[in-house]
Amino acid sequence: MNKNIKTYTLLGIVALIWGIIGYRLFSSFTPEAPMNKPEIERSFALERIKPKDTFSIKADYRDPFLGTMHVKKKRTKKKIAKTSPKIQFPSIAYTGLIADQQNKQHIFFVTINNTQYLMQSKSEKDGVTLVSGTKSGIKVRYKGITKQIPLKNEPS
């Protein structure tokens, strides 16, 4: 056989194989023409939903490895004691007083939440009432709770 005849024969076979591959790819990407099918009339009816069959396993048999019976742990309810919410006292500091010799009145320097006030007995600022006071300390009331506050600069 001549060399050219072999080459042309093999070239034809290769072209035929590539042609088959190309035809298959092309036919898979192009949609086929829809066939006219007779329309079927369908009716839709709801099915009744059956409740699921549930079960539970009772594991009250002997443990095959330990040889003991299974014992359920009893749950105890924790009793919560009713407590009134704790009242958060504001930051209160007693820093001094001014005494009037003629009227016997005292004016107290009281710092409440970093704000300094001049207060007399039975006066109220920021919900804090000054009940009474002396040189060494004051007595204040906040939301029904009375507290004794010592002089801040007093040496102990």
Side-chain angles (χ1 to χ4, degrees):
M1 265 193 168
N2 195 356
K3 189 175 183 183
N4 287 339
I5 295 173
K6 287 183 185 178
T7 303
Y8 289 124
T9 307
L10 288 176
L11 186 62
I13 294 172
V14 168
L16 179 68
I17 292 172
W18 278 107
I20 293 170
I21 292 172
Y23 173 75
R24 287 192 178 179
L25 284 175
F26 181 74
S27 64
S28 67
F29 288 121
T30 56
E32 294 182 21
M35 296 178 63
N36 292 337
K37 294 181 181 177
E39 291 196 27
I40 301 171
E41 192 173 314
R42 296 183 183 179
S43 63
F44 180 73
L46 291 175
E47 285 185 29
R48 285 196 148 186
I49 298 174
K50 296 178 183 176
K52 288 186 179 181
D53 184 22
T54 59
F55 62 92
S56 62
I57 298 175
K58 245 185 164 178
D60 59 351
Y61 48 86
R62 184 180 63 83
D63 186 355
F65 300 105
L66 298 176
T68 59
M69 292 294 287
H70 176 73
V71 179
K72 273 191 173 180
K73 294 181 182 177
K74 294 182 181 179
R75 291 187 181 184
T76 58
K77 293 183 180 179
K78 293 182 181 178
K79 293 183 181 179
I80 300 172
K82 291 184 179 180
T83 58
S84 61
K86 290 190 176 184
I87 296 174
Q88 183 67 31
F89 242 81
S91 168
I92 301 173
Y94 170 49
T95 54
L97 84 125
I98 299 173
D100 187 7
Q101 296 296 332
Q102 297 169 355
N103 297 348
K104 303 268 182 171
Q105 290 184 345
H106 299 295
I107 298 175
F108 300 94
F109 292 104
V110 180
T111 305
I112 302 170
N113 291 332
N114 297 325
T115 305
Q116 191 172 37
Y117 296 103
L118 297 173
M119 297 177 72
Q120 293 180 345
S121 292
K122 312 285 191 259
S123 64
E124 182 178 337
K125 300 283 185 185
D126 290 345
V128 177
T129 305
L130 180 64
V131 178
S132 64
T134 62
K135 289 181 182 179
S136 61
I138 59 172
K139 191 182 285 188
V140 294
R141 182 180 299 126
Y142 180 72
K143 293 187 179 179
I145 299 175
T146 306
K147 198 173 191 184
Q148 186 75 26
I149 309 289
L151 181 64
K152 188 174 183 180
N153 298 333
E154 185 177 58
S156 299

